[in-house]
Amino acid sequence: MASTLTVGFDLDMTLIDSRPGIRACYRALAERTGTFIDADLAVTRLGPPLVEELAHWFPLERVPEMADMYRAMYPSIAIAATTAMPGAREAVDAVRAAGGRTLVVTAKYEPNAKLHLAHLGIEPDVVVGDLWAERKAQALREHGASVYVGDHVGDVRGARAAGAFSVAVATGPCPSEELGAAGADVVLAGLPAFPEWLDGYREALGAAPRA
């Protein structure tokens, strides 16, 4: 088990608090395009793909163009403003200490996801972007993830579609009750509780205690 354990993590509001950077990026996009965007509202519903949020503010035919503009300005605006969520580094380190591998699967544009992780010094073994909800199962199955950790009901759906154990953290837009109702196998208050949970999970499967 220790040599084959692979744990997947979502990114926004699971490993990173990207709200300040995303808020600033939406405000810059609004200024550049002359279009009203309620950036404070937008950051309360992080999780789904960018194009879904942009569709609230732009005509559908303009959404691809706006997504390209947003993604191009994102590195210079959002990366430095983003912080690691409490317990994020420790959660990734706990998997590594158990002899396992870590995988980040996110709906975020993959190059920007990698910039966030590099900036914060969080080093998963694999990063896969541009996947949301059930489509996350593609990457989870491909890399053999037996656990997927996320903050959104879409992450729960992705874990279930992959046949992975769904660990939900109540640090994003979805409260604990909603995550549980969506089918999460366990709901944690946040990632600081993850290393202890992982110890119990591995012991239940007959693994040696984490070093």
Side-chain angles (χ1 to χ4, degrees):
M1 174 68 186
S3 63
T4 59
L5 172 68
T6 298
V7 177
F9 292 90
D10 176 50
L11 186 63
D12 291 289
M13 303 312 300
T14 298
L15 289 176
I16 67 172
D17 185 351
S18 52
R19 290 172 297 183
I22 289 175
R23 183 184 292 110
C25 206
Y26 277 128
R27 287 174 175 167
L29 183 65
E31 182 177 356
R32 181 174 298 188
T33 62
T35 300
F36 173 74
I37 299 174
D38 187 339
D40 291 327
L41 174 60
V43 298
T44 68
R45 49 194 186 197
L46 299 182
L50 170 65
V51 294
E52 292 190 17
E53 183 61 41
L54 291 174
H56 291 291
W57 313 109
F58 296 94
L60 289 180
E61 64 270 16
R62 295 195 67 198
V63 166
E65 174 196 356
M66 294 301 102
D68 288 344
M69 185 181 298
Y70 175 99
R71 288 167 178 153
M73 68 171 66
Y74 192 95
S76 63
I77 295 174
I79 301 301
T82 293
T83 59
M85 293 292 286
R89 294 181 181 87
E90 293 82 358
V92 172
D93 289 345
V95 179
R96 185 167 290 117
R101 301 175 70 251
T102 54
L103 166 71
V104 169
V105 185
T106 174
K108 189 179 290 295
Y109 180 54
E110 187 173 304
N112 288 341
K114 290 179 176 178
L115 287 175
H116 274 304
L117 293 163
H119 178 75
L120 294 171
I122 299 172
E123 300 179 344
D125 295 287
V126 180
V127 179
V128 181
D130 305 294
L131 295 177
W132 165 240
E134 288 82 359
R135 290 187 61 227
K136 291 189 173 191
Q138 300 170 16
L140 295 173
R141 287 193 299 263
E142 178 182 350
H143 294 280
S146 55
V147 175
Y148 185 57
V149 186
D151 66 280
H152 199 285
V153 293
D155 300 321
V156 176
R157 285 156 43 199
R160 291 177 65 85
F165 195 96
S166 174
V167 178
V169 286
T171 51
C174 301
S176 299
E177 297 77 13
E178 186 177 358
L179 294 164
D185 293 297
V186 65
V187 180
L188 306 177
L191 287 179
F194 178 80
E196 182 178 357
W197 174 84
L198 183 64
D199 281 342
Y201 173 76
R202 296 179 65 242
E203 288 169 6
L205 294 177
R210 181 168 58 89

